[in-house]
Amino acid sequence: MKMKLHHYEILDSTNETAEQMAKAGAPEGTVIMADRQRGGHGRMQRRWESPSGGLWFTLVLRPTADSYLVAQITLLAGIAVTKALRRIYSSDDIRIKWPNDIFFNGKKVGGILSEMRLHEREGIEYVLVGIGVNVNLGKENFPGELQSTATSLQLIFGKKIPVESVLQEIFNEFVVIYDRWNNEGMNAFLSEWEALNCTLGRMVKVWDSDRVIFEGKAVSMKEDGSLLVQMENGTEESFNFGEISIREC
Ligand code: BT5
């Protein structure tokens, strides 16, 4: 897969522009990048702060896998981002908080938002992998409510790295992982994901709409990307991301 980069100064959201381009036939490997986003978003339409200095981009994929496997692509992207950042900043303290957050010492430095569209009859038309990384942001870039929960790589490591080179490293890493996933499936990545994550072994809360129904320990991640949780009474059940919250990582 070759990167076909479309670089904008400002967009509402790279996922939204990527969606329009994917609908119009943009090929796999298309990357929409913006220096800043007016309306960057996370899951469930949460706001994603995207001032200049950060890396905000969306990758268009056209996997031939069955649609139920698509949730795995977020996990693959998490592996790619974490490996690339660990190499660039020479730090093993960058970790994946299941399912889609990139953390350093209890603070969020990046997030992933994957979206997909199915063909009318069968199969996947496209997948959009939206990735945000707080690369060269200062403290003043985080609004009050994020001051204690978010940080940037520049604030942590004291280094300014061009966002284009961080994009290239993540892309290169992702291409290798994606190729192998297409051939071998998610099983080939479970141990690597485990080695990079900071969720397993921790207590998690399981929610039913706005009510906590269980607390338990995250014991493993299943091949489909769901988290296996061990309850206090010893029983184990698996949950997907909509049902679980994890305090910090
Ligand atoms: C995510 O959502 O973490 C996915 C973020 C994906 C952003 C990329 S940027 C390129 C592409 N275009 C888009 O419009 N989106 C993607 P979620 O797990 O729902 O987390 C959202 C929460 O993270 C917010 O409610 C805030 O609490 C927090 N947050 C917002 N902006 C942040 C930032 N810059 N750094 C760290 N945390 C942030």
Side-chain angles (χ1 to χ4, degrees), residues 12-15 37 39-44 46-51 55-58 100-101 108-113 130-132 134 137 142 146 149-151:
D12 285 338
S13 155
T14 57
N15 269 40
Q37 303 183 109
H41 46 84
R43 297 175 300 166
M44 295 168 268
R46 294 185 195 125
R47 183 171 166 76
W48 181 260
E49 292 298 328
S50 324
L55 172 60
W56 325 120
F57 75 98
T58 302
N100 71 321
D101 290 340
K108 185 156 164 172
V109 294
I112 299 163
L113 174 68
I131 297 181
N134 301 333
L137 303 185
F142 296 100
L146 292 184
T149 57
T151 189

mmCIF file of all heavy atoms in Angstrom, residues 12-15 37 39-44 46-51 55-58 100-101 108-113 130-132 134 137 142 146 149-151, ligand 1:
data_model
loop_
_atom_site.group_PDB
_atom_site.id
_atom_site.type_symbol
_atom_site.label_atom_id
_atom_site.label_comp_id
_atom_site.label_asym_id
_atom_site.label_seq_id
_atom_site.Cartn_x
_atom_site.Cartn_y
_atom_site.Cartn_z
ATOM 1 N N ASP A 12 -12.846 20.537 9.044
ATOM 2 C CA ASP A 12 -13.714 20.263 10.195
ATOM 3 C C ASP A 12 -13.209 19.000 10.883
ATOM 4 O O ASP A 12 -12.924 18.988 12.079
ATOM 5 C CB ASP A 12 -15.168 20.083 9.743
ATOM 6 C CG ASP A 12 -15.781 21.426 9.389
ATOM 7 O OD1 ASP A 12 -15.267 22.449 9.879
ATOM 8 O OD2 ASP A 12 -16.744 21.458 8.613
ATOM 9 N N SER A 13 -13.102 17.930 10.099
ATOM 10 C CA SER A 13 -12.619 16.658 10.642
ATOM 11 C C SER A 13 -12.034 15.847 9.485
ATOM 12 O O SER A 13 -12.673 15.725 8.427
ATOM 13 C CB SER A 13 -13.787 15.899 11.282
ATOM 14 O OG SER A 13 -13.519 14.511 11.295
ATOM 15 N N THR A 14 -10.861 15.307 9.676
ATOM 16 C CA THR A 14 -10.251 14.506 8.604
ATOM 17 C C THR A 14 -11.099 13.261 8.319
ATOM 18 O O THR A 14 -11.133 12.782 7.185
ATOM 19 C CB THR A 14 -8.812 14.087 8.954
ATOM 20 O OG1 THR A 14 -8.832 13.370 10.195
ATOM 21 C CG2 THR A 14 -7.888 15.287 9.070
ATOM 22 N N ASN A 15 -11.803 12.742 9.338
ATOM 23 C CA ASN A 15 -12.670 11.588 9.085
ATOM 24 C C ASN A 15 -13.808 11.966 8.137
ATOM 25 O O ASN A 15 -14.197 11.174 7.280
ATOM 26 C CB ASN A 15 -13.254 11.034 10.394
ATOM 27 C CG ASN A 15 -12.382 9.951 11.007
ATOM 28 O OD1 ASN A 15 -11.150 10.071 10.998
ATOM 29 N ND2 ASN A 15 -12.984 8.907 11.537
ATOM 30 N N GLN A 37 -8.091 20.935 13.158
ATOM 31 C CA GLN A 37 -9.486 20.591 12.864
ATOM 32 C C GLN A 37 -10.393 21.491 13.696
ATOM 33 O O GLN A 37 -10.136 21.724 14.879
ATOM 34 C CB GLN A 37 -9.772 19.135 13.236
ATOM 35 C CG GLN A 37 -8.875 18.123 12.545
ATOM 36 C CD GLN A 37 -9.259 16.683 12.902
ATOM 37 O OE1 GLN A 37 -9.787 15.953 12.104
ATOM 38 N NE2 GLN A 37 -8.969 16.273 14.133
ATOM 39 N N GLY A 39 -13.666 20.734 14.053
ATOM 40 C CA GLY A 39 -14.654 19.879 14.726
ATOM 41 C C GLY A 39 -14.185 18.445 14.812
ATOM 42 O O GLY A 39 -14.938 17.520 14.513
ATOM 43 N N GLY A 40 -12.934 18.260 15.239
ATOM 44 C CA GLY A 40 -12.417 16.893 15.398
ATOM 45 C C GLY A 40 -13.283 16.168 16.422
ATOM 46 O O GLY A 40 -13.757 16.774 17.384
ATOM 47 N N HIS A 41 -13.534 14.871 16.183
ATOM 48 C CA HIS A 41 -14.337 14.172 17.167
ATOM 49 C C HIS A 41 -13.778 12.803 17.509
ATOM 50 O O HIS A 41 -12.976 12.220 16.778
ATOM 51 C CB HIS A 41 -15.814 14.089 16.770
ATOM 52 C CG HIS A 41 -16.042 13.671 15.357
ATOM 53 N ND1 HIS A 41 -16.068 12.372 14.977
ATOM 54 C CD2 HIS A 41 -16.254 14.417 14.240
ATOM 55 C CE1 HIS A 41 -16.286 12.309 13.681
ATOM 56 N NE2 HIS A 41 -16.387 13.533 13.199
ATOM 57 N N GLY A 42 -14.221 12.345 18.674
ATOM 58 C CA GLY A 42 -13.872 11.013 19.139
ATOM 59 C C GLY A 42 -15.089 10.119 18.996
ATOM 60 O O GLY A 42 -15.967 10.382 18.177
ATOM 61 N N ARG A 43 -15.126 9.076 19.827
ATOM 62 C CA ARG A 43 -16.280 8.177 19.750
ATOM 63 C C ARG A 43 -17.506 8.871 20.322
ATOM 64 O O ARG A 43 -17.388 9.760 21.160
ATOM 65 C CB ARG A 43 -15.972 6.905 20.549
ATOM 66 C CG ARG A 43 -14.794 6.146 19.940
ATOM 67 C CD ARG A 43 -14.409 4.963 20.789
ATOM 68 N NE ARG A 43 -14.030 5.385 22.128
ATOM 69 C CZ ARG A 43 -13.901 4.555 23.151
ATOM 70 N NH1 ARG A 43 -14.143 3.275 23.005
ATOM 71 N NH2 ARG A 43 -13.542 5.001 24.331
ATOM 72 N N MET A 44 -18.642 8.447 19.878
ATOM 73 C CA MET A 44 -19.927 8.982 20.350
ATOM 74 C C MET A 44 -19.970 10.505 20.272
ATOM 75 O O MET A 44 -20.465 11.182 21.161
ATOM 76 C CB MET A 44 -20.204 8.491 21.778
ATOM 77 C CG MET A 44 -20.388 6.984 21.808
ATOM 78 S SD MET A 44 -20.370 6.291 23.450
ATOM 79 C CE MET A 44 -18.665 5.887 23.650
ATOM 80 N N ARG A 46 -17.875 12.729 20.821
ATOM 81 C CA ARG A 46 -17.151 13.546 21.807
ATOM 82 C C ARG A 46 -16.191 14.451 21.057
ATOM 83 O O ARG A 46 -15.661 14.081 20.011
ATOM 84 C CB ARG A 46 -16.342 12.651 22.739
ATOM 85 C CG ARG A 46 -17.189 11.777 23.611
ATOM 86 C CD ARG A 46 -16.234 11.050 24.564
ATOM 87 N NE ARG A 46 -16.877 9.939 25.202
ATOM 88 C CZ ARG A 46 -16.416 8.686 25.183
ATOM 89 N NH1 ARG A 46 -15.298 8.387 24.556
ATOM 90 N NH2 ARG A 46 -17.050 7.734 25.798
ATOM 91 N N ARG A 47 -15.918 15.611 21.632
ATOM 92 C CA ARG A 47 -15.025 16.549 20.964
ATOM 93 C C ARG A 47 -13.571 16.092 21.083
ATOM 94 O O ARG A 47 -13.148 15.600 22.121
ATOM 95 C CB ARG A 47 -15.201 17.938 21.599
ATOM 96 C CG ARG A 47 -14.364 18.986 20.932
ATOM 97 C CD ARG A 47 -14.675 20.406 21.394
ATOM 98 N NE ARG A 47 -13.608 21.301 20.959
ATOM 99 C CZ ARG A 47 -13.467 21.720 19.707
ATOM 100 N NH1 ARG A 47 -14.324 21.357 18.785
ATOM 101 N NH2 ARG A 47 -12.462 22.507 19.377
ATOM 102 N N TRP A 48 -12.826 16.273 19.995
ATOM 103 C CA TRP A 48 -11.383 15.976 20.019
ATOM 104 C C TRP A 48 -10.637 17.284 19.754
ATOM 105 O O TRP A 48 -10.755 17.861 18.668
ATOM 106 C CB TRP A 48 -11.011 14.927 18.965
ATOM 107 C CG TRP A 48 -9.550 14.603 19.011
ATOM 108 C CD1 TRP A 48 -8.581 15.089 18.186
ATOM 109 C CD2 TRP A 48 -8.894 13.760 19.958
ATOM 110 N NE1 TRP A 48 -7.361 14.601 18.563
ATOM 111 C CE2 TRP A 48 -7.513 13.786 19.642
ATOM 112 C CE3 TRP A 48 -9.329 12.996 21.048
ATOM 113 C CZ2 TRP A 48 -6.565 13.063 20.377
ATOM 114 C CZ3 TRP A 48 -8.379 12.275 21.769
ATOM 115 C CH2 TRP A 48 -7.025 12.306 21.428
ATOM 116 N N GLU A 49 -9.900 17.770 20.732
ATOM 117 C CA GLU A 49 -9.152 19.031 20.590
ATOM 118 C C GLU A 49 -8.043 18.840 19.562
ATOM 119 O O GLU A 49 -7.206 17.949 19.710
ATOM 120 C CB GLU A 49 -8.518 19.426 21.931
ATOM 121 C CG GLU A 49 -9.503 19.816 23.014
ATOM 122 C CD GLU A 49 -10.324 21.037 22.650
ATOM 123 O OE1 GLU A 49 -9.810 21.934 21.926
ATOM 124 O OE2 GLU A 49 -11.490 21.105 23.091
ATOM 125 N N SER A 50 -8.008 19.684 18.540
ATOM 126 C CA SER A 50 -7.063 19.475 17.439
ATOM 127 C C SER A 50 -6.386 20.768 16.994
ATOM 128 O O SER A 50 -6.528 21.189 15.846
ATOM 129 C CB SER A 50 -7.784 18.871 16.227
ATOM 130 O OG SER A 50 -8.789 17.965 16.586
ATOM 131 N N PRO A 51 -5.634 21.430 17.896
ATOM 132 C CA PRO A 51 -4.936 22.656 17.492
ATOM 133 C C PRO A 51 -3.696 22.356 16.654
ATOM 134 O O PRO A 51 -3.257 21.204 16.599
ATOM 135 C CB PRO A 51 -4.521 23.259 18.836
ATOM 136 C CG PRO A 51 -4.379 22.090 19.748
ATOM 137 C CD PRO A 51 -5.369 21.051 19.288
ATOM 138 N N LEU A 55 -0.786 15.833 15.285
ATOM 139 C CA LEU A 55 -0.926 15.037 14.052
ATOM 140 C C LEU A 55 -2.365 14.536 13.986
ATOM 141 O O LEU A 55 -2.797 13.758 14.840
ATOM 142 C CB LEU A 55 0.049 13.851 14.098
ATOM 143 C CG LEU A 55 -0.110 12.808 12.974
ATOM 144 C CD1 LEU A 55 0.096 13.428 11.594
ATOM 145 C CD2 LEU A 55 0.864 11.646 13.198
ATOM 146 N N TRP A 56 -3.093 15.014 12.993
ATOM 147 C CA TRP A 56 -4.507 14.635 12.839
ATOM 148 C C TRP A 56 -4.678 14.086 11.431
ATOM 149 O O TRP A 56 -4.528 14.827 10.460
ATOM 150 C CB TRP A 56 -5.427 15.855 13.053
ATOM 151 C CG TRP A 56 -4.962 16.843 14.085
ATOM 152 C CD1 TRP A 56 -4.681 18.165 13.886
ATOM 153 C CD2 TRP A 56 -4.730 16.610 15.486
ATOM 154 N NE1 TRP A 56 -4.283 18.768 15.055
ATOM 155 C CE2 TRP A 56 -4.294 17.836 16.058
ATOM 156 C CE3 TRP A 56 -4.815 15.491 16.323
ATOM 157 C CZ2 TRP A 56 -3.972 17.965 17.408
ATOM 158 C CZ3 TRP A 56 -4.489 15.625 17.671
ATOM 159 C CH2 TRP A 56 -4.086 16.842 18.195
ATOM 160 N N PHE A 57 -4.969 12.806 11.316
ATOM 161 C CA PHE A 57 -5.124 12.254 9.971
ATOM 162 C C PHE A 57 -6.080 11.060 9.948
ATOM 163 O O PHE A 57 -6.380 10.467 10.994
ATOM 164 C CB PHE A 57 -3.769 11.848 9.376
ATOM 165 C CG PHE A 57 -3.166 10.583 9.936
ATOM 166 C CD1 PHE A 57 -3.300 9.371 9.273
ATOM 167 C CD2 PHE A 57 -2.439 10.603 11.121
ATOM 168 C CE1 PHE A 57 -2.730 8.196 9.769
ATOM 169 C CE2 PHE A 57 -1.872 9.438 11.634
ATOM 170 C CZ PHE A 57 -2.017 8.245 10.954
ATOM 171 N N THR A 58 -6.538 10.748 8.746
ATOM 172 C CA THR A 58 -7.411 9.592 8.542
ATOM 173 C C THR A 58 -6.900 8.793 7.358
ATOM 174 O O THR A 58 -6.587 9.352 6.306
ATOM 175 C CB THR A 58 -8.866 10.039 8.274
ATOM 176 O OG1 THR A 58 -9.300 10.829 9.382
ATOM 177 C CG2 THR A 58 -9.791 8.840 8.119
ATOM 178 N N ASN A 100 -8.849 2.047 22.351
ATOM 179 C CA ASN A 100 -8.416 2.975 21.296
ATOM 180 C C ASN A 100 -7.589 4.164 21.776
ATOM 181 O O ASN A 100 -7.479 5.148 21.058
ATOM 182 C CB ASN A 100 -9.655 3.513 20.559
ATOM 183 C CG ASN A 100 -10.444 4.470 21.440
ATOM 184 O OD1 ASN A 100 -10.573 4.229 22.636
ATOM 185 N ND2 ASN A 100 -10.928 5.544 20.874
ATOM 186 N N ASP A 101 -7.070 4.108 23.005
ATOM 187 C CA ASP A 101 -6.326 5.261 23.526
ATOM 188 C C ASP A 101 -4.840 4.965 23.586
ATOM 189 O O ASP A 101 -4.435 3.831 23.848
ATOM 190 C CB ASP A 101 -6.768 5.573 24.963
ATOM 191 C CG ASP A 101 -8.171 6.134 25.034
ATOM 192 O OD1 ASP A 101 -8.662 6.633 24.015
ATOM 193 O OD2 ASP A 101 -8.753 6.071 26.131
ATOM 194 N N LYS A 108 -3.458 10.841 28.484
ATOM 195 C CA LYS A 108 -3.746 10.457 27.106
ATOM 196 C C LYS A 108 -2.919 11.302 26.132
ATOM 197 O O LYS A 108 -2.922 12.531 26.225
ATOM 198 C CB LYS A 108 -5.242 10.656 26.852
ATOM 199 C CG LYS A 108 -5.735 10.206 25.507
ATOM 200 C CD LYS A 108 -7.232 9.884 25.586
ATOM 201 C CE LYS A 108 -7.860 9.796 24.209
ATOM 202 N NZ LYS A 108 -9.230 9.304 24.250
ATOM 203 N N VAL A 109 -2.212 10.648 25.227
ATOM 204 C CA VAL A 109 -1.436 11.373 24.204
ATOM 205 C C VAL A 109 -1.984 11.148 22.800
ATOM 206 O O VAL A 109 -1.559 11.813 21.860
ATOM 207 C CB VAL A 109 0.077 11.025 24.223
ATOM 208 C CG1 VAL A 109 0.722 11.489 25.510
ATOM 209 C CG2 VAL A 109 0.312 9.529 24.023
ATOM 210 N N GLY A 110 -2.927 10.215 22.657
ATOM 211 C CA GLY A 110 -3.486 9.994 21.331
ATOM 212 C C GLY A 110 -4.736 9.141 21.392
ATOM 213 O O GLY A 110 -5.026 8.516 22.426
ATOM 214 N N GLY A 111 -5.469 9.147 20.280
ATOM 215 C CA GLY A 111 -6.692 8.340 20.228
ATOM 216 C C GLY A 111 -6.972 7.924 18.793
ATOM 217 O O GLY A 111 -6.452 8.523 17.841
ATOM 218 N N ILE A 112 -7.777 6.887 18.666
ATOM 219 C CA ILE A 112 -8.093 6.327 17.347
ATOM 220 C C ILE A 112 -9.608 6.222 17.204
ATOM 221 O O ILE A 112 -10.295 5.795 18.142
ATOM 222 C CB ILE A 112 -7.455 4.919 17.211
ATOM 223 C CG1 ILE A 112 -5.933 5.030 17.353
ATOM 224 C CG2 ILE A 112 -7.841 4.264 15.876
ATOM 225 C CD1 ILE A 112 -5.248 3.724 17.649
ATOM 226 N N LEU A 113 -10.097 6.620 16.056
ATOM 227 C CA LEU A 113 -11.532 6.513 15.780
ATOM 228 C C LEU A 113 -11.724 5.832 14.434
ATOM 229 O O LEU A 113 -11.459 6.422 13.389
ATOM 230 C CB LEU A 113 -12.156 7.913 15.731
ATOM 231 C CG LEU A 113 -13.614 7.954 15.308
ATOM 232 C CD1 LEU A 113 -14.503 7.328 16.375
ATOM 233 C CD2 LEU A 113 -14.056 9.384 15.022
ATOM 234 N N GLY A 130 -9.165 6.994 11.810
ATOM 235 C CA GLY A 130 -8.801 8.359 12.213
ATOM 236 C C GLY A 130 -7.854 8.298 13.397
ATOM 237 O O GLY A 130 -8.144 7.635 14.401
ATOM 238 N N ILE A 131 -6.721 8.969 13.260
ATOM 239 C CA ILE A 131 -5.704 8.909 14.318
ATOM 240 C C ILE A 131 -5.318 10.321 14.729
ATOM 241 O O ILE A 131 -5.038 11.178 13.883
ATOM 242 C CB ILE A 131 -4.465 8.123 13.823
ATOM 243 C CG1 ILE A 131 -4.878 6.679 13.524
ATOM 244 C CG2 ILE A 131 -3.328 8.181 14.852
ATOM 245 C CD1 ILE A 131 -3.756 5.773 13.061
ATOM 246 N N GLY A 132 -5.346 10.568 16.019
ATOM 247 C CA GLY A 132 -4.912 11.856 16.555
ATOM 248 C C GLY A 132 -3.784 11.636 17.537
ATOM 249 O O GLY A 132 -3.898 10.798 18.436
ATOM 250 N N ASN A 134 -1.045 13.879 19.998
ATOM 251 C CA ASN A 134 -0.619 15.181 20.520
ATOM 252 C C ASN A 134 0.900 15.262 20.422
ATOM 253 O O ASN A 134 1.607 14.930 21.366
ATOM 254 C CB ASN A 134 -1.063 15.341 21.978
ATOM 255 C CG ASN A 134 -2.568 15.237 22.133
ATOM 256 O OD1 ASN A 134 -3.316 15.532 21.207
ATOM 257 N ND2 ASN A 134 -3.009 14.820 23.307
ATOM 258 N N LEU A 137 2.390 19.900 21.111
ATOM 259 C CA LEU A 137 1.430 20.816 21.736
ATOM 260 C C LEU A 137 1.989 21.317 23.061
ATOM 261 O O LEU A 137 2.716 20.598 23.755
ATOM 262 C CB LEU A 137 0.089 20.116 21.989
ATOM 263 C CG LEU A 137 -0.625 19.502 20.784
ATOM 264 C CD1 LEU A 137 -1.983 18.955 21.194
ATOM 265 C CD2 LEU A 137 -0.787 20.515 19.658
ATOM 266 N N PHE A 142 -4.306 22.719 25.833
ATOM 267 C CA PHE A 142 -5.324 21.846 26.413
ATOM 268 C C PHE A 142 -6.284 22.670 27.252
ATOM 269 O O PHE A 142 -5.856 23.340 28.186
ATOM 270 C CB PHE A 142 -4.668 20.754 27.271
ATOM 271 C CG PHE A 142 -3.794 19.824 26.474
ATOM 272 C CD1 PHE A 142 -2.409 19.990 26.455
ATOM 273 C CD2 PHE A 142 -4.349 18.796 25.729
ATOM 274 C CE1 PHE A 142 -1.605 19.148 25.709
ATOM 275 C CE2 PHE A 142 -3.551 17.946 24.982
ATOM 276 C CZ PHE A 142 -2.175 18.123 24.970
ATOM 277 N N LEU A 146 -9.045 19.219 30.248
ATOM 278 C CA LEU A 146 -8.111 18.171 29.802
ATOM 279 C C LEU A 146 -6.729 18.307 30.453
ATOM 280 O O LEU A 146 -5.876 17.434 30.280
ATOM 281 C CB LEU A 146 -7.942 18.215 28.276
ATOM 282 C CG LEU A 146 -9.147 17.831 27.415
ATOM 283 C CD1 LEU A 146 -8.760 17.836 25.940
ATOM 284 C CD2 LEU A 146 -9.703 16.474 27.805
ATOM 285 N N THR A 149 -5.780 15.263 32.373
ATOM 286 C CA THR A 149 -5.951 13.933 31.772
ATOM 287 C C THR A 149 -5.168 13.750 30.476
ATOM 288 O O THR A 149 -5.013 12.628 30.012
ATOM 289 C CB THR A 149 -7.440 13.673 31.444
ATOM 290 O OG1 THR A 149 -7.895 14.722 30.575
ATOM 291 C CG2 THR A 149 -8.297 13.648 32.686
ATOM 292 N N ALA A 150 -4.730 14.874 29.867
ATOM 293 C CA ALA A 150 -4.078 14.771 28.552
ATOM 294 C C ALA A 150 -2.708 15.437 28.587
ATOM 295 O O ALA A 150 -2.459 16.335 29.393
ATOM 296 C CB ALA A 150 -4.944 15.452 27.497
ATOM 297 N N THR A 151 -1.842 15.001 27.695
ATOM 298 C CA THR A 151 -0.541 15.673 27.558
ATOM 299 C C THR A 151 -0.038 15.467 26.128
ATOM 300 O O THR A 151 -0.699 14.822 25.316
ATOM 301 C CB THR A 151 0.471 15.161 28.596
ATOM 302 O OG1 THR A 151 1.645 15.986 28.550
ATOM 303 C CG2 THR A 151 0.880 13.712 28.358
HETATM 304 C C1 BT5 B 1 -10.767 9.095 20.753
HETATM 305 O O1 BT5 B 1 -12.091 9.182 21.116
HETATM 306 O O2 BT5 B 1 -9.841 9.023 21.503
HETATM 307 C C2 BT5 B 1 -10.550 9.148 19.234
HETATM 308 C C3 BT5 B 1 -9.880 10.407 18.783
HETATM 309 C C4 BT5 B 1 -9.643 10.404 17.302
HETATM 310 C C5 BT5 B 1 -9.171 11.733 16.805
HETATM 311 C C6 BT5 B 1 -8.774 11.687 15.360
HETATM 312 S S1 BT5 B 1 -7.927 13.130 14.852
HETATM 313 C C7 BT5 B 1 -8.068 12.690 13.196
HETATM 314 C C8 BT5 B 1 -9.455 12.094 13.023
HETATM 315 N N1 BT5 B 1 -10.438 13.120 12.747
HETATM 316 C C9 BT5 B 1 -11.369 13.199 13.717
HETATM 317 O O3 BT5 B 1 -12.344 13.995 13.736
HETATM 318 N N2 BT5 B 1 -11.098 12.290 14.678
HETATM 319 C C10 BT5 B 1 -9.918 11.507 14.363
HETATM 320 P P1 BT5 B 1 -12.635 8.923 22.584
HETATM 321 O O4 BT5 B 1 -12.098 7.652 23.138
HETATM 322 O O5 BT5 B 1 -14.107 9.072 22.461
HETATM 323 O O6 BT5 B 1 -12.036 10.085 23.452
HETATM 324 C C11 BT5 B 1 -12.520 11.404 23.398
HETATM 325 C C12 BT5 B 1 -12.143 12.099 24.708
HETATM 326 O O7 BT5 B 1 -10.740 12.365 24.745
HETATM 327 C C13 BT5 B 1 -12.791 13.462 24.889
HETATM 328 O O8 BT5 B 1 -14.051 13.342 25.454
HETATM 329 C C14 BT5 B 1 -11.810 14.164 25.812
HETATM 330 O O9 BT5 B 1 -12.031 13.782 27.152
HETATM 331 C C15 BT5 B 1 -10.466 13.585 25.412
HETATM 332 N N3 BT5 B 1 -9.723 14.464 24.475
HETATM 333 C C16 BT5 B 1 -10.191 15.345 23.568
HETATM 334 N N4 BT5 B 1 -9.207 15.886 22.853
HETATM 335 C C17 BT5 B 1 -8.051 15.352 23.323
HETATM 336 C C18 BT5 B 1 -6.681 15.494 22.982
HETATM 337 N N5 BT5 B 1 -6.253 16.281 21.996
HETATM 338 N N6 BT5 B 1 -5.793 14.762 23.709
HETATM 339 C C19 BT5 B 1 -6.165 13.939 24.690
HETATM 340 N N7 BT5 B 1 -7.446 13.753 25.053
HETATM 341 C C20 BT5 B 1 -8.380 14.450 24.378
#
